[in-house]
Structures are given as C-alpha cells and as structure tokens.
Amino acid sequence: MARARIGDDIGQAALATVRAVTADGGDAAASVDRSTLALAVRYSLQLLAERAPGGTLEVRVPPFAAVQCVEGPKHTRGTPPNVIETDASTWLALATGRLSWADARASGRVHASGQRAELDGLLPVV
C-alpha cells in the first residue's frame, strides 16, 4: 500500500526547522528532534520521487525512508541494481542545496552503486 502524501505545509515547516538549525553548519541529526528529522527526510524524498518519477534508482536514508525514482528499467524483487544510501544529515544537506552531489560523493558521505546511481541535476529538491 502506498504511503500517504505528506502535505506541503507540514513538510516545508519541518524543512524550515532543519534549515534554521543547520544555517551555521550544524548537524541536523544531532540538533533536530527525531520526529521533525524523520518528517523532513520523508518529505524531501517525496519531492525527489515527484520530480523524477520511476523505479530505476532507490534512494535510501535509513532508518527513515527509501524511495524509488528516475525513469528507466524497474526492479521488482531483491536488491535494486542502482542504489544511493546516505545518512539523514547528509541527505538533508543535499536536498536543501547546502551540499553538492559532487562534494558528497568525493567525501564518501554518499554510497552509490550501479550505472544509474546519480542525482546530479535533480538536487536540490527544495
């Protein structure tokens, strides 16, 4: 069953809280309560999936959420061939434009596998 869509009002409010806390370079996961952090992650992943619908790439931000996105061949069982995984703080920095995709990859803050495990051009989502 599909997860209910997060409303823009509460999703944007969670992201605003994260942005305010991380404006001076703070760590979102250490500075924001867990429910707000989870909401911000889920909402920003929802925006990514809406921007690039499809099932070729799975973006994981454990333990909060994962989405499939990007047009192309879809996997249906097992581990997908194209996976991006990162922590909540890194994802929110990427989603809000505080961290570039290239810098996240170069620093090892993002684990990406597969030929289509690429988010350059899709970020930031907010």
Side-chain angles (χ1 to χ4, degrees):
M1 174 155 54
R3 186 175 293 213
R5 187 179 190 290
I6 298 169
D8 291 328
D9 53 342
I10 62 171
Q12 289 293 341
L15 286 172
T17 300
V18 168
R19 275 184 262 177
V21 168
T22 60
D24 62 354
D27 178 18
S31 306
V32 178
D33 69 272
R34 185 173 169 84
S35 62
T36 302
L37 184 67
L39 183 60
V41 167
R42 290 178 184 133
Y43 179 69
S44 57
L45 284 171
Q46 172 183 293
L47 294 176
L48 174 65
E50 289 172 354
R51 174 177 284 178
T56 294
L57 173 64
E58 185 165 292
V59 180
R60 300 174 180 168
V61 183
F64 300 112
V67 296
Q68 291 185 9
C69 56
V70 182
E71 286 185 14
K74 181 177 177 151
H75 79 280
T76 56
R77 293 174 36 178
T79 301
N82 303 291
V83 176
I84 293 171
E85 187 168 324
T86 191
D87 62 274
S89 294
T90 300
W91 169 251
L92 290 170
L94 287 164
T96 60
R98 293 192 187 280
L99 177 65
S100 74
W101 175 250
D103 289 344
R105 289 293 308 267
S107 67
R109 293 176 65 182
V110 170
H111 302 284
S113 63
Q115 290 181 317
R116 302 193 59 169
E118 178 69 44
L119 290 177
D120 199 28
L122 295 174
L123 298 171
V125 295
V126 291

